Amino acid sequence: MGQHKSHTTEVDVGVPQGSVLGPLLFAVYCSPIADVIAHHGVQYHQYADDTQLHLAMRANNTPAGLSVLAECTTDVRQWYLQNGLQLNPDKSEALIVGTTNQLRVVTSSVSSVSVAGVDLPVADDIKVLGVVLDQRLSIHKHVSAVARSCNYHAQAIRHIRHLLTTELAQTLACSLFLSRIDYCNAVLHGAPSYSIKKLQRVQNNAARIGLEAPRRSHVSPLLRTLHWLSVQQRIDYKVALLTFKVRSTSTPSYLRLLIQDREHGHNLRSTTTALHQPFTTTTFAKRAFRCSAPAGWNSLRKTVLNSDSLLVVFKSRLKTFLFSQAWPSFSAH
């Protein structure tokens, strides 16, 4: 800092904690672990020092799948030890996800999962990057946590609302409420209606606070005045925006592999932007990105789907389209 320098220390393994390049260098250092995991046929995600393992298995043959997972985690732990790192199984969590019938079969026989030689109890829910996931992926607990946090801030702002200007109140509403509602809201696509309604009540409350309207005032004119999309439309917006980015940049690759352009017998310009929509028989499956992304994408107007447009243009056209759906009198160009 300035003319002063700290002492130089050689690091043989790992990376300095707190350094700017720490997360990136750590990811590079641990990248070979991907080959160890892939060798067992297990899917994975890595984010900084967090590694998630995903394994699909049949409800009537869970021992085979759990055996593969146990062998994989044992090899991962061994790799860490050989490279000067330590895997702490006690800080790991295990979650079994499935339909109601599948969970009924599995949970009756499986109460723990072996991770690197340690038996972990199967959790009812886990938090992944701030999102609470439960066994049914209902997102109900996550929605409840978001609503509880927003209601706490709403009560605090109401006490000082008379001291705030309208502009400042709206800024607080966006930073304290909408930021929480929008965080990872793509996972809410296809969620039960009662969960969406709970978040909508939070947004309605934020709109009334921002415009200092009575608690029982009709909220639709307020949302239009604030130029806010409803909660469901914000979810549709996020899924469509994610689909556009995946199609434009082909990243992340694991999402790009899930969507395919619809094939046509004739090369018509009006049909080149449509996506193939897989056939599904359950509501649970329709929530997957491979199904929700094509469904939302194909429902957009052709002017919005112009793949040659820039991201900023697509976002503007998409929001205009969603506004015109909510309020037909809204001018859509």
Side-chain angles (χ1 to χ4, degrees), residues 75-142:
D75 288 349
V76 169
R77 183 183 186 183
Q78 185 63 29
W79 185 92
Y80 279 136
L81 291 175
Q82 293 175 351
N83 291 273
L85 300 174
Q86 184 176 3
L87 173 66
N88 190 349
D90 295 331
K91 292 185 178 181
S92 301
E93 295 179 293
L95 179 71
I96 298 179
V97 177
T99 62
T100 301
N101 292 333
Q102 291 172 338
L103 292 174
R104 186 181 299 112
V105 174
V106 175
T107 55
S108 61
S109 58
V110 179
S111 58
S112 62
V113 176
S114 177
V115 175
V118 176
D119 291 334
L120 300 178
V122 177
D124 295 329
D125 56 80
I126 60 174
K127 181 176 287 189
V128 180
L129 298 179
V131 178
V132 181
L133 302 179
D134 55 64
Q135 293 182 323
R136 287 294 317 280
L137 294 183
S138 66
I139 315 296
H140 175 65
K141 291 186 178 181
H142 174 69

Side-chain angles (χ1 to χ4, degrees), residues 194 196-206 208 231:
Y194 62 83
I196 304 300
K197 291 179 180 178
K198 179 178 288 190
L199 289 180
Q200 187 60 58
R201 288 193 292 269
V202 171
Q203 187 188 40
N204 295 347
N205 194 20
R208 295 187 180 102
V231 170

Side-chain angles (χ1 to χ4, degrees), residues 186-310:
V187 301
L188 296 174
H189 188 279
S193 59
Y194 62 83
S195 295
I196 304 300
K197 291 179 180 178
K198 179 178 288 190
L199 289 180
Q200 187 60 58
R201 288 193 292 269
V202 171
Q203 187 188 40
N204 295 347
N205 194 20
R208 295 187 180 102
I209 293 176
L211 295 176
E212 206 170 5
R215 294 196 178 192
R216 296 187 179 276
S217 59
H218 190 52
V219 75
S220 293
L222 304 181
L223 294 179
R224 181 169 182 173
T225 299
L226 293 169
H227 217 253
W228 288 359
L229 297 172
S230 66
V231 170
Q232 183 58 59
Q233 288 181 315
R234 300 177 86 88
I235 296 172
D236 296 338
Y237 176 89
K238 183 64 70 67
V239 174
L241 182 60
L242 179 60
T243 305
F244 177 86
K245 291 180 178 179
V246 170
R247 294 185 76 251
S248 301
T249 65
S250 296
T251 55
S253 58
Y254 58 85
L255 287 184
R256 187 63 181 93
L257 294 174
L258 297 178
I259 56 175
Q260 299 177 353
D261 292 341
R262 181 185 297 171
E263 296 182 358
H264 299 277
H266 302 282
N267 186 18
L268 301 178
R269 181 177 178 82
S270 61
T271 59
T272 54
T273 56
L275 296 178
H276 170 69
Q277 188 170 351
F279 174 76
T280 57
T281 57
T282 64
T283 304
F284 191 80
K286 291 180 180 178
R287 295 179 57 190
F289 183 77
R290 63 189 295 267
C291 298
S292 62
W297 184 263
N298 295 341
S299 66
L300 300 177
R301 288 176 179 169
K302 297 176 183 178
T303 54
V304 181
L305 295 179
N306 182 9
S307 59
D308 296 331
S309 62
L310 300 175

Side-chain angles (χ1 to χ4, degrees), residues 33 36-38 42-46 50-56 68-74 76 87 93-95 115:
I33 199 66
V36 178
I37 299 174
V42 177
Q43 296 182 345
Y44 63 93
H45 278 105
Q46 291 180 287
D50 181 49
T51 302
Q52 301 173 13
L53 304 182
H54 307 269
L55 181 65
V68 172
L69 184 61
E71 294 176 0
C72 179
T73 54
T74 299
V76 169
L87 173 66
E93 295 179 293
L95 179 71
V115 175

Side-chain angles (χ1 to χ4, degrees), residues 157 160-173 208-212 226:
I157 294 178
I160 61 172
R161 179 61 184 87
H162 63 285
L163 302 175
L164 306 176
T165 64
T166 300
E167 182 180 358
L168 180 57
Q170 293 177 14
T171 301
L172 286 176
R208 295 187 180 102
I209 293 176
L211 295 176
E212 206 170 5
L226 293 169

